[in-house]
Amino acid sequence: MDNIEQRVEELEMKLAFQDGTIEELNQQVIKLNDVVALQQEQLRLLLSKLQSVEPSNMASQADETPPPHY
């Protein structure tokens, strides 16, 4: 009987440790989710700013005449 009680106690300790570890991991996932959400918002803002920039006054590569040495 002592062996069974010892095994049950060991399982209870492992379960308690796993519960703590799972909670810590859950908190990290929540933090990472917040970071990803912030980065996505910043990326959307950057993309909208880039799209609002007027095109360059330089001609495209296809419109350029080749240099005289060609």
Side-chain angles (χ1 to χ4, degrees):
M1 251 340 189
D2 285 339
N3 188 25
I4 293 175
E5 287 179 17
Q6 182 182 3
R7 289 177 60 194
V8 168
E9 285 180 13
E10 287 176 11
L11 289 173
E12 287 175 342
M13 285 190 294
K14 286 182 180 181
L15 179 63
F17 178 75
Q18 287 178 351
D19 284 344
T21 302
I22 290 170
E23 183 57 32
E24 288 175 21
L25 290 172
N26 187 46
Q27 293 303 316
Q28 288 299 317
V29 168
I30 291 170
K31 287 179 186 178
L32 288 174
N33 190 38
D34 291 343
V35 168
V36 168
L38 176 63
Q39 288 177 340
Q40 285 177 332
E41 182 58 34
Q42 290 173 336
L43 187 58
R44 273 192 282 277
L45 178 63
L46 182 61
L47 184 59
S48 69
K49 285 186 176 186
L50 283 175
Q51 289 173 339
S52 69
V53 173
E54 292 184 23
S56 172
N57 289 336
M58 294 180 61
S60 70
Q61 197 72 14
D63 294 337
E64 287 287 328
T65 56
H69 60 278
Y70 277 115

